[in-house]
Short mmCIF file of all heavy atoms in Angstrom, two decimals:
data_model
loop_
_atom_site.label_atom_id
_atom_site.label_comp_id
_atom_site.label_asym_id
_atom_site.label_seq_id
_atom_site.Cartn_x
_atom_site.Cartn_y
_atom_site.Cartn_z
N PHE A 93 41.16 87.25 115.77
CA PHE A 93 42.06 87.07 114.63
C PHE A 93 41.58 85.92 113.75
O PHE A 93 41.64 85.99 112.51
CB PHE A 93 43.51 86.82 115.05
CG PHE A 93 44.38 86.61 113.84
CD1 PHE A 93 44.76 87.68 113.06
CD2 PHE A 93 44.74 85.33 113.43
CE1 PHE A 93 45.50 87.50 111.90
CE2 PHE A 93 45.47 85.14 112.27
CZ PHE A 93 45.86 86.23 111.51
N ILE A 112 46.52 80.71 104.68
CA ILE A 112 46.97 81.98 104.09
C ILE A 112 48.37 82.26 104.62
O ILE A 112 48.64 82.08 105.81
CB ILE A 112 46.03 83.14 104.50
CG1 ILE A 112 44.63 82.93 103.92
CG2 ILE A 112 46.60 84.49 104.06
CD1 ILE A 112 44.50 83.24 102.46
N TYR A 114 51.01 84.83 105.86
CA TYR A 114 51.02 86.18 106.43
C TYR A 114 52.46 86.61 106.74
O TYR A 114 53.37 85.79 106.83
CB TYR A 114 50.22 86.22 107.74
CG TYR A 114 48.73 86.00 107.59
CD1 TYR A 114 48.16 84.77 107.90
CD2 TYR A 114 47.90 87.04 107.16
CE1 TYR A 114 46.79 84.57 107.79
CE2 TYR A 114 46.53 86.85 107.04
CZ TYR A 114 45.98 85.60 107.35
OH TYR A 114 44.63 85.41 107.23
N LEU A 266 54.82 83.82 108.14
CA LEU A 266 53.96 82.91 108.93
C LEU A 266 52.97 82.20 108.01
O LEU A 266 52.33 82.83 107.17
CB LEU A 266 53.19 83.71 109.99
CG LEU A 266 54.05 84.59 110.91
CD1 LEU A 266 53.17 85.60 111.63
CD2 LEU A 266 54.82 83.73 111.91
N ARG A 267 52.82 80.91 108.22
CA ARG A 267 51.89 80.14 107.39
C ARG A 267 50.68 79.73 108.23
O ARG A 267 50.77 78.88 109.10
CB ARG A 267 52.59 78.90 106.83
CG ARG A 267 51.75 78.13 105.82
CD ARG A 267 52.57 77.06 105.12
NE ARG A 267 51.77 76.34 104.14
CZ ARG A 267 51.06 75.24 104.40
NH1 ARG A 267 51.07 74.75 105.64
NH2 ARG A 267 50.36 74.65 103.46
N GLY A 268 49.58 80.41 107.99
CA GLY A 268 48.33 80.04 108.64
C GLY A 268 48.14 80.60 110.04
O GLY A 268 49.04 81.20 110.63
N VAL A 269 46.94 80.38 110.56
CA VAL A 269 46.51 80.94 111.83
C VAL A 269 47.37 80.48 113.00
O VAL A 269 47.75 81.28 113.87
CB VAL A 269 45.02 80.59 112.09
CG1 VAL A 269 44.62 80.93 113.52
CG2 VAL A 269 44.13 81.33 111.12
N ASP A 270 47.69 79.19 113.04
CA ASP A 270 48.44 78.65 114.18
C ASP A 270 49.79 79.33 114.34
O ASP A 270 50.21 79.67 115.45
CB ASP A 270 48.63 77.14 114.04
CG ASP A 270 47.33 76.37 114.23
OD1 ASP A 270 46.37 76.98 114.73
OD2 ASP A 270 47.27 75.19 113.86
N GLU A 271 50.49 79.54 113.22
CA GLU A 271 51.80 80.19 113.29
C GLU A 271 51.65 81.65 113.70
O GLU A 271 52.51 82.19 114.41
CB GLU A 271 52.53 80.07 111.95
CG GLU A 271 53.05 78.67 111.69
CD GLU A 271 54.03 78.61 110.53
OE1 GLU A 271 54.52 79.67 110.09
OE2 GLU A 271 54.30 77.49 110.05
N VAL A 272 50.59 82.31 113.25
CA VAL A 272 50.35 83.70 113.65
C VAL A 272 50.14 83.79 115.16
O VAL A 272 50.71 84.64 115.83
CB VAL A 272 49.12 84.28 112.91
CG1 VAL A 272 48.71 85.62 113.52
CG2 VAL A 272 49.42 84.47 111.42
N ILE A 273 49.33 82.89 115.69
CA ILE A 273 49.04 82.93 117.13
C ILE A 273 50.29 82.62 117.96
O ILE A 273 50.53 83.26 118.99
CB ILE A 273 47.87 81.96 117.47
CG1 ILE A 273 46.56 82.56 116.90
CG2 ILE A 273 47.76 81.73 118.96
CD1 ILE A 273 45.36 81.64 117.02
N ARG A 274 51.10 81.66 117.48
CA ARG A 274 52.36 81.38 118.19
C ARG A 274 53.27 82.61 118.18
O ARG A 274 53.90 82.92 119.19
CB ARG A 274 53.08 80.18 117.54
CG ARG A 274 52.59 78.83 118.02
CD ARG A 274 53.60 77.73 117.76
NE ARG A 274 53.85 77.54 116.34
CZ ARG A 274 53.13 76.76 115.56
NH1 ARG A 274 52.09 76.10 116.04
NH2 ARG A 274 53.43 76.63 114.29
N TYR A 275 53.34 83.28 117.04
CA TYR A 275 54.16 84.50 116.91
C TYR A 275 53.64 85.59 117.86
O TYR A 275 54.42 86.24 118.57
CB TYR A 275 54.10 84.98 115.47
CG TYR A 275 54.78 86.32 115.21
CD1 TYR A 275 56.16 86.44 115.26
CD2 TYR A 275 54.03 87.45 114.89
CE1 TYR A 275 56.78 87.66 115.01
CE2 TYR A 275 54.64 88.66 114.63
CZ TYR A 275 56.02 88.76 114.69
OH TYR A 275 56.63 89.97 114.45
N TYR A 276 52.32 85.75 117.91
CA TYR A 276 51.70 86.75 118.80
C TYR A 276 52.06 86.47 120.26
O TYR A 276 52.46 87.37 121.01
CB TYR A 276 50.18 86.74 118.61
CG TYR A 276 49.41 87.52 119.64
CD1 TYR A 276 49.29 88.90 119.56
CD2 TYR A 276 48.82 86.88 120.73
CE1 TYR A 276 48.58 89.63 120.51
CE2 TYR A 276 48.13 87.59 121.69
CZ TYR A 276 48.01 88.96 121.58
OH TYR A 276 47.33 89.66 122.53
N ARG A 277 51.93 85.21 120.67
CA ARG A 277 52.23 84.84 122.06
C ARG A 277 53.70 85.06 122.38
O ARG A 277 54.06 85.54 123.46
CB ARG A 277 51.85 83.39 122.31
CG ARG A 277 50.34 83.13 122.30
CD ARG A 277 50.05 81.64 122.41
NE ARG A 277 48.61 81.36 122.40
CZ ARG A 277 48.10 80.13 122.34
NH1 ARG A 277 48.91 79.08 122.31
NH2 ARG A 277 46.79 79.95 122.32
N VAL A 293 51.17 93.21 117.46
CA VAL A 293 51.85 92.85 116.22
C VAL A 293 50.93 93.19 115.06
O VAL A 293 49.70 93.17 115.20
CB VAL A 293 52.24 91.35 116.18
CG1 VAL A 293 53.31 91.05 117.21
CG2 VAL A 293 51.03 90.45 116.38
N ILE A 295 49.71 92.01 111.41
CA ILE A 295 49.66 90.81 110.58
C ILE A 295 49.15 91.21 109.19
O ILE A 295 48.06 91.77 109.07
CB ILE A 295 48.74 89.73 111.19
CG1 ILE A 295 49.16 89.43 112.65
CG2 ILE A 295 48.76 88.47 110.35
CD1 ILE A 295 50.55 88.88 112.81
N PHE A 319 47.05 93.18 115.77
CA PHE A 319 46.71 92.17 116.79
C PHE A 319 47.26 92.71 118.11
O PHE A 319 48.43 92.57 118.41
CB PHE A 319 47.36 90.86 116.39
CG PHE A 319 46.80 89.63 117.04
CD1 PHE A 319 47.08 88.36 116.52
CD2 PHE A 319 45.98 89.69 118.17
CE1 PHE A 319 46.59 87.21 117.11
CE2 PHE A 319 45.49 88.55 118.76
CZ PHE A 319 45.80 87.30 118.22
#
Side-chain angles (χ1 to χ4, degrees):
F93 179 75
I112 295 283
Y114 293 102
L266 307 164
R267 187 170 181 270
V269 169
D270 290 345
E271 287 193 14
V272 169
I273 289 174
R274 277 200 297 273
Y275 174 70
Y276 169 81
R277 291 174 180 173
V293 292
I295 307 298
F319 198 164

